Amino acid sequence: MNPSIADNIARVQAQILAACQAAGRAPGSVRLLAVSKTWGPDAVRQAHAAGLTAFGENYIQEAVDKITALRDLPLEWHCIGPIQSNKTRLVAEHFDWVHSVDRLKIAQRLSEQRPAHLPPLQVCIQVNVDGGETKSGVSPQELPALAQAVAALPRLQLRGLMTIPEPAETDAQMRAVHAQAKALFEALRQQGLLLDTLSMGMSADMAAAIAKGSTMVRVGTGIFGARH
């Protein structure tokens, strides 16, 4: 096993623990999602040997090849990249979670194409909290209607929200954007949706995201090293 991956995981887990303690949150309240895009099956095997089970992928065809190669391991696969209509069947058939639903059409296709023998696909809606022009995601204004529609689809289970905010200059600005996402999340829960997942925070803004209520952080470079 590559000691650096195991060492990196231990370091990231220590950072999550410290952020939880600083925020007065229970240590187990934040999951670590290892972003394994561009890394091969061997790197995922090493991360699994070091205790991780959940892996995030952006590129769907690359991910499907990796998922197939790693069928012998009890892994949970999360699609965290944009999904085009012609890729929904691959996602519905191979992934356990999808974080990047931002249109009802995509959600409907995922629901229709989810195989009957698999459990419902676990879904987060990607919301563009700060209006970043280059980012995917539904607007905060359109979020409530989309959330209710997605929650009603038969082969999906709506779990929460995902955000990828623009880089902020200060910690206070980062926290403010994460606080907006948390407020949207709580508003949906008050409307009766049974949500438990707020997928926000990456290597650079992990502590700020945890301080504002993230339940899942997505870390790639901090675990596997610089992308190759």
Side-chain angles (χ1 to χ4, degrees):
M1 188 165 95
N2 180 343
S4 65
I5 287 182
D7 293 345
N8 290 346
I9 289 169
R11 185 164 55 248
V12 171
Q13 287 173 330
Q15 291 167 348
I16 292 172
L17 178 61
C20 285
Q21 289 171 335
R25 296 180 57 191
S29 60
V30 179
R31 292 187 71 194
L32 172 57
L33 180 66
V35 179
S36 45
K37 65 177 179 185
T38 76
W39 292 92
D42 286 348
V44 175
R45 285 188 186 279
Q46 290 172 35
H48 175 260
L52 297 189
T53 56
F55 294 86
E57 293 281 336
N58 289 60
Y59 309 118
I60 291 163
Q61 187 57 59
E62 175 201 325
V64 168
D65 295 342
K66 210 177 297 182
I67 292 166
T68 304
L70 294 164
R71 283 254 185 259
D72 56 306
L73 296 181
L75 304 179
E76 185 180 271
W77 293 97
H78 296 237
C79 178
I80 58 176
I83 305 171
Q84 296 165 319
S85 295
N86 64 348
K87 292 287 200 308
T88 53
R89 184 173 297 279
L90 283 176
V91 175
E93 290 178 349
H94 291 91
F95 284 86
D96 304 294
W97 281 70
V98 179
H99 292 227
S100 45
V101 169
D102 61 359
R103 306 196 302 287
L104 183 57
K105 174 188 170 187
I106 295 296
Q108 287 169 331
R109 289 176 67 92
L110 291 170
S111 178
E112 289 162 7
Q113 295 168 344
R114 181 67 168 174
H117 69 277
L118 293 177
L121 190 59
Q122 309 297 297
V123 169
C124 290
I125 292 175
Q126 183 173 348
V127 57
N128 188 347
V129 180
D130 54 0
E133 291 181 12
T134 62
K135 293 287 192 295
S136 303
V138 65
S139 71
Q141 294 75 26
E142 295 169 338
L143 172 64
L146 179 60
Q148 293 289 350
V150 171
L153 292 170
R155 301 291 297 135
L156 307 182
Q157 183 174 356
L158 181 61
R159 297 290 294 269
L161 303 180
M162 185 268 259
T163 63
I164 310 176
E166 297 287 337
E169 291 180 11
T170 68
D171 187 63
Q173 288 172 329
M174 261 190 298
R175 287 175 181 242
V177 173
H178 292 317
Q180 285 176 271
K182 173 68 168 174
L184 293 170
F185 176 78
E186 292 299 343
L188 293 177
R189 286 173 57 153
Q190 285 168 8
Q191 292 174 20
L193 293 173
L194 301 174
L195 308 183
D196 62 5
T197 301
L198 193 49
S199 169
M200 68 180 186
M202 296 182 280
S203 298
D205 60 343
M206 191 165 64
I210 290 171
K212 293 302 174 185
S214 170
T215 68
M216 189 181 293
V217 292
R218 309 181 304 273
V219 179
T221 307
I223 291 172
F224 296 107
R227 261 182 244 162
H228 57 203

